[in-house]
Amino acid sequence: MIHAIFGACQTNQGFSQKSLKYKSKTSSIDKVAGNNFAKFDQGKTLLNKLYFFGTNPAGKISFKGYYGDQQPLKKLFWISTNRNDVYEDNWTKEHIYQVGTKKWVNAHPAELLRRTPEQTIQSLCTITKPDNQYPGIPPYIPSPNFGDKWGRHANYIEINPRVVAKYEGNRATDGLLNTMKLLPALPTSPNSFANCIVLSQLYPAFYGDGYKDASSLYCANLHNGISQTLTADGLYGKMGADEQVKAFNDMAHLLGFKTAFRMPLSADQLRVKDRPFNWYDHEKAFIDACCWGIELGFDAIFFDSAKHIIDRNGYCGVGALPNKAQMAYILYEIRQKTGRNDIAFMGEKCNDNYEFKEMGFTAGTDWGKADNFGSVWWESQKQRCSREYAAGPEVSNDNDYGEANFETRLNRINSCLFGFDYVSNKLPSYMQLHDIFPLSPYTNTHELMMHTKEMCGSNAWTECERHYDGAFNTSQAATDYRNNVYHIFENAIRTYG
């Protein structure tokens, strides 16, 4: 039985809510003109190089697009249940958190992770179904429409699939399915700006991918399929890896989220079909890998080390980065090849330097002091004339070691969601899953990015049921904190629609 493969238990538990008051003002988002990518070195583009690996013509890479099932979420539900009919989920109705027409569930992540795919999809359909209609999975699920420049204002929430993966024996799998189980409990987007879910990983790690001893997520083996940490062994032979990714994106889109994935830029942190990478020979392979991600349903890409394209100070990556002209060409080509002008490109640590806008970036991270509401407000005023690119504040990032207390994180989230006069001036913001669902005091985001084995530090964590309790903070203080986060997002929805 497929249910036995995935495993589940169901419990009902209520949570208290505490109110907080926060500042807010509102208006509408302005529409803006397109970008200019004319800087690329024409001499290099005209070479029209062959992208072979060694002397093997079979190694040639080309962008082919998505050819999987066009309704992968329905396919996943059928595989999980052997039926097409979707029923309302009573557990969801008992845990509903509603703000006007916007809904999500209020539950601890360990409770969510014990639910089956059937329960998760029925929860999704219960939340999103129109009033007075039966729940169901739509035949066509478009990405929510926030305009072409949505990424300039979005809240980016990064989720590391390793945190929620299924650990069984030496395997670490099911990262996508388990991330899908958390999606109904994340605050949905207001009408005026998007909340965007960012996956820390899409492509395989260099070593041990899909196993506990997998190497760092600050690397990617391109054109070698999807990471086995994300895919489910229980779906092998029943549903392709690309279909599982597309199902994840369809679910996120139906809940009102945009989606993104992380990509390294440092040459020695990239490979192409297990072969060493360099920016001269493998530029096209990199572009095609980015395009494939977009074809699988993602709306945005987060680029590691993007700041260091123009500022090498403090660079911690390994290997060469693309230059400014090359990066501009790469981003331009991704938009051209996918036919999507609404793609958002985030650059790690990119500031308000105009050169990032010229390269085609949409958002920079960690600019403006989120601890200081006035600092974020001031930055929103400084950058209000730029409607295509802005650099914004962070609640936390992938280097977070967990030092910030709950009150500090709440204050930062409030600054990110309300630090402006008109919503058209809102800056992009960046945060991690633990800024909504606090991790256990014995874990931290950076170590989980570096080593899968950090999730398996004790024998208890090799059993997936106990791992879910070990990964997240189960204290009452963490529950109160999550409710307070919900209240901040609730106030944003009430203020901005």
Side-chain angles (χ1 to χ4, degrees):
M1 292 291 291
I2 197 75
H3 291 173
I5 294 173
F6 294 130
C9 74
Q10 180 175 331
T11 60
N12 292 326
Q13 182 177 0
F15 295 100
S16 63
Q17 296 186 2
K18 292 172 66 179
S19 297
L20 294 179
K21 295 181 180 178
Y22 296 95
K23 301 178 182 178
S24 63
K25 295 200 175 179
T26 184
S27 181
S28 60
I29 296 180
D30 298 337
K31 293 195 173 184
V32 291
N35 225 324
N36 180 0
F37 303 99
K39 281 188 165 187
F40 185 72
D41 178 1
Q42 294 297 321
K44 187 171 187 301
T45 61
L46 293 175
L47 290 175
N48 193 23
K49 299 182 298 297
L50 294 176
Y51 291 84
F52 293 138
F53 306 98
T55 58
N56 178 14
K60 187 174 180 180
I61 295 298
S62 62
F63 171 54
K64 298 186 182 301
Y66 172 72
Y67 292 102
D69 195 293
Q70 293 304 306
Q71 299 184 57
L73 201 55
K74 282 190 175 182
K75 183 174 182 177
L76 176 60
F77 187 74
W78 170 262
I79 292 169
S80 304
T81 64
N82 285 322
R83 70 173 196 272
N84 289 317
D85 292 334
V86 178
Y87 304 130
E88 286 197 19
D89 185 68
N90 288 328
W91 178 91
T92 297
K93 292 193 283 187
E94 292 166 359
H95 290 76
I96 207 76
Y97 194 113
Q98 184 161 357
V99 187
T101 60
K102 308 283 186 177
K103 300 175 185 177
W104 61 89
V105 299
N106 187 344
H108 191 276
E111 188 176 5
L112 294 160
L113 290 168
R114 289 184 170 93
R115 308 202 83 212
T116 64
E118 174 189 5
Q119 292 170 324
T120 298
I121 295 174
Q122 293 195 153
S123 182
L124 158 75
C125 295
T126 301
I127 291 170
T128 59
K129 79 175 188 68
D131 292 337
N132 302 318
Q133 291 188 24
Y134 292 110
I137 303 169
Y140 173 64
I141 304 172
S143 179
N145 185 4
F146 291 93
D148 284 355
K149 307 303 177 185
W150 65 271
R152 157 66 173 80
H153 306 277
N155 302 309
Y156 298 97
I157 305 167
E158 186 171 20
I159 298 178
N160 182 348
R162 286 181 174 178
V163 176
V164 295
K166 175 183 175 182
Y167 292 92
E168 191 169 66
N170 194 36
R171 295 283 284 153
T173 62
D174 292 47
L176 278 173
L177 276 177
N178 284 353
T179 301
M180 290 169 72
K181 294 176 184 181
L182 296 183
L183 289 181
L186 296 176
T188 189
S189 305
N191 293 330
S192 298
F193 51 80
N195 293 339
C196 178
I197 307 301
V198 183
L199 288 185
S200 297
Q201 183 179 21
L202 179 61
Y203 298 126
F206 284 178
Y207 306 109
D209 185 69
Y211 293 87
K212 289 181 187 175
D213 57 353
S215 58
S216 166
L217 294 186
Y218 297 107
C219 62
N221 193 355
L222 308 180
H223 298 280
N224 225 24
I226 302 299
S227 169
Q228 293 182 45
T229 303
L230 273 67
T231 56
D233 286 350
L235 293 175
Y236 183 77
K238 301 173 184 176
M239 191 170 186
D242 55 344
E243 292 175 322
Q244 294 176 52
V245 176
K246 188 70 167 58
F248 162 81
N249 281 313
D250 281 354
M251 180 173 180
H253 290 158
L254 196 55
L255 286 166
F257 299 110
K258 290 289 193 178
T259 59
F261 63 98
R262 173 183 284 261
M263 278 286 280
L265 284 177
S266 303
D268 290 350
Q269 293 168 223
L270 292 166
R271 290 184 181 176
V272 181
K273 289 190 173 180
D274 296 311
R275 296 174 182 263
F277 180 96
N278 71 77
W279 280 108
Y280 183 83
D281 293 316
H282 303 132
E283 176 192 90
K284 182 179 182 296
F286 182 85
I287 292 171
D288 284 351
C290 291
C291 288
W292 190 41
I294 299 301
E295 281 291 310
L296 295 179
F298 291 99
D299 306 290
I301 304 174
F302 175 84
F303 291 101
D304 275 332
S305 301
K307 164 193 172 181
H308 301 295
I309 295 170
I310 65 172
D311 178 8
R312 300 284 295 190
N313 184 39
Y315 176 54
C316 296
V318 183
L321 295 169
N323 59 43
K324 289 187 294 183
Q326 191 174 25
M327 194 70 208
Y329 174 72
I330 288 168
L331 300 187
Y332 173 78
E333 280 292 289
I334 296 169
R335 288 186 170 105
Q336 288 293 104
K337 287 192 172 190
T338 59
R340 288 187 59 179
N341 291 322
D342 65 326
I343 302 171
F345 296 125
M346 301 91 75
E348 183 188 26
K349 304 291 184 182
C350 293
N351 58 24
D352 62 352
N353 190 315
Y354 190 79
E355 290 178 284
F356 292 115
K357 175 184 174 182
E358 286 295 291
M359 279 185 270
F361 282 102
T362 311
T365 68
D366 198 21
W367 189 249
K369 296 178 175 135
D371 289 319
N372 185 331
F373 186 90
S375 170
V376 177
W377 183 288
W378 173 247
E379 283 298 330
S380 76
Q381 295 299 299
K382 278 176 57 183
Q383 299 184 63
R384 64 185 176 182
C385 294
S386 175
R387 296 308 186 192
E388 298 174 358
Y389 171 85
E394 289 180 340
V395 180
S396 68
N397 58 38
D398 55 291
N399 293 310
D400 190 278
Y401 283 95
E403 297 96 340
N405 59 35
F406 289 161
E407 190 61 34
T408 297
R409 294 183 190 275
L410 289 172
N411 181 56
R412 291 175 182 174
I413 294 172
N414 183 61
S415 296
C416 291
L417 267 62
F418 293 99
F420 48 86
D421 53 357
Y422 299 105
V423 73
S424 58
N425 296 332
K426 180 190 178 299
L427 296 174
S429 73
Y430 208 85
M431 63 189 78
Q432 299 286 314
L433 176 66
H434 66 244
D435 293 315
I436 299 174
F437 299 139
L439 294 175
S440 163
Y442 306 106
T443 64
N444 70 73
T445 296
H446 186 65
E447 291 303 319
L448 300 181
M449 291 290 291
M450 295 295 292
H451 308 289
T452 305
K453 61 187 178 184
E454 298 298 333
M455 295 303 300
C456 312
S458 69
N459 290 332
W461 284 32
T462 64
E463 305 167 35
C464 63
E465 290 291 312
R466 294 176 68 186
H467 153 65
Y468 298 147
D469 290 324
F472 292 96
N473 191 325
T474 58
S475 69
Q476 184 60 45
T479 297
D480 293 340
Y481 169 82
R482 186 183 71 252
N483 284 314
N484 287 333
V485 171
Y486 286 165
H487 283 308
I488 299 176
F489 278 95
E490 174 186 350
N491 289 338
I493 291 171
R494 292 192 186 282
T495 303
Y496 310 121

